[in-house]
Amino acid sequence: MILETDRLLLREYVQADAEAFFRLNSDPEVLRFTADSPLRSTEHARQILSSYPIADYRRYGFGRWACIDKRTRAHLGFAGLKYLEELQEVEIGFRLVRAYWGFGLATEAAKAAVAYGFEHLSLKSIIGLVIPDNIASVRVLQKIGLKFSNQVCCRGLELERYTISRQRFTKRSSDL
Ligand SMILES: CC(C)(COP(=O)(O)OP(=O)(O)OC[C@H]1O[C@@H](n2cnc3c(N)ncnc32)[C@H](O)[C@@H]1OP(=O)(O)O)[C@@H](O)C(=O)NCCC(=O)NCCS
């Protein structure tokens, strides 16, 4: 287990999460503002889990984490930090099963992940990348303190880059 918030547990993905990961990543509405194609099967989900989040834990010590409902133990989606080789930056990302949108859960998970990045991983800055039309995602980034910095081309998409420095995170935390 990596993190605990009021309503969530964030933990590393394991192969046994393949079916839940498939359900999340085969909903076209969930993938609408991402560069990802829908997963085809649980087996495909298993391969993606191995090649991305699980490989990232080994390579960098962190990656996208499974968000688990503390009360029901249901898999709600993912949130977490990912090292982007293309930009040489660490990105906060989040993606939830549709039924759980609109309850502040992405904000709760992302806030905890960003704090972990500064307090435990000693990162200097964290970025967020979004398609501008993804209003919910932009809003989550703003609520956790990231500010628009510039436009970038990444994953073959024109994206807006939001950022927060450790210095601003620390100041923001002491102001709250
Ligand atoms: C983005 C996502 C994770 C947000 O999850 P969530 O748990 O619903 O987010 P939260 O409830 O914490 O916050 C969403 C905010 O966006 C706002 N919002 C959502 N849709 C909106 C819309 N169409 N117009 C204006 N505001 C909107 C909500 O009101 C809320 O802001 P508020 O707290 O100020 O009212 C979820 O929609 C999702 O999984 N989307 C698909 C995957 C995705 O696009 N991930 C991000 C890729 S960069």
Side-chain angles (χ1 to χ4, degrees), residues 25-170:
N25 293 291
S26 52
D27 179 346
E29 194 59 29
V30 168
L31 302 177
R32 181 168 161 213
F33 295 113
T34 77
D36 296 349
S37 307
L39 295 182
R40 296 182 299 276
S41 61
T42 306
E43 182 47 39
H44 188 201
R46 212 168 273 131
Q47 289 164 18
I48 296 293
L49 279 172
S50 290
S51 311
Y52 295 97
I54 295 173
D56 282 346
Y57 308 145
R58 277 197 221 108
R59 219 176 290 150
Y60 306 117
F62 58 88
R64 303 292 196 221
W65 298 305
C67 292
I68 307 297
D69 184 322
K70 255 162 95 165
R71 205 171 42 84
T72 64
R73 301 282 147 171
H75 170 262
L76 308 186
F78 69 65
L81 301 168
K82 182 174 173 60
Y83 181 70
L84 303 179
E85 286 188 7
E86 198 178 344
L87 301 178
Q88 299 191 1
E89 306 233 45
V90 174
E91 182 211 21
I92 175 72
F94 30 78
R95 186 177 297 180
L96 299 182
V97 172
R98 230 192 298 175
Y100 300 104
W101 293 3
F103 300 107
L105 290 165
T107 303
E108 186 170 319
K111 193 173 161 197
V114 163
Y116 182 89
F118 289 123
E119 291 165 0
H120 293 269
L121 303 174
S122 302
L123 300 175
K124 291 198 175 73
S125 66
I126 294 175
I127 67 163
L129 296 174
V130 279
I131 293 177
D133 287 348
N134 192 351
I135 299 167
S137 185
V138 168
R139 189 74 200 109
V140 172
L141 293 177
Q142 291 171 335
K143 284 195 289 180
I144 61 170
L146 280 78
K147 292 208 185 324
F148 174 77
S149 66
N150 61 315
Q151 299 207 305
V152 287
C153 191
C154 184
R155 304 175 183 127
L157 298 172
E158 282 293 326
L159 299 170
E160 287 188 343
R161 179 176 176 274
Y162 284 71
T163 185
I164 185 167
S165 62
R166 182 162 53 191
Q167 204 179 9
R168 205 171 69 244
F169 169 80
T170 308

Side-chain angles (χ1 to χ4, degrees), residues 4-9 70-71 108:
E4 182 173 354
T5 68
D6 285 350
R7 291 175 290 175
L8 303 169
L9 300 174
K70 255 162 95 165
R71 205 171 42 84
E108 186 170 319

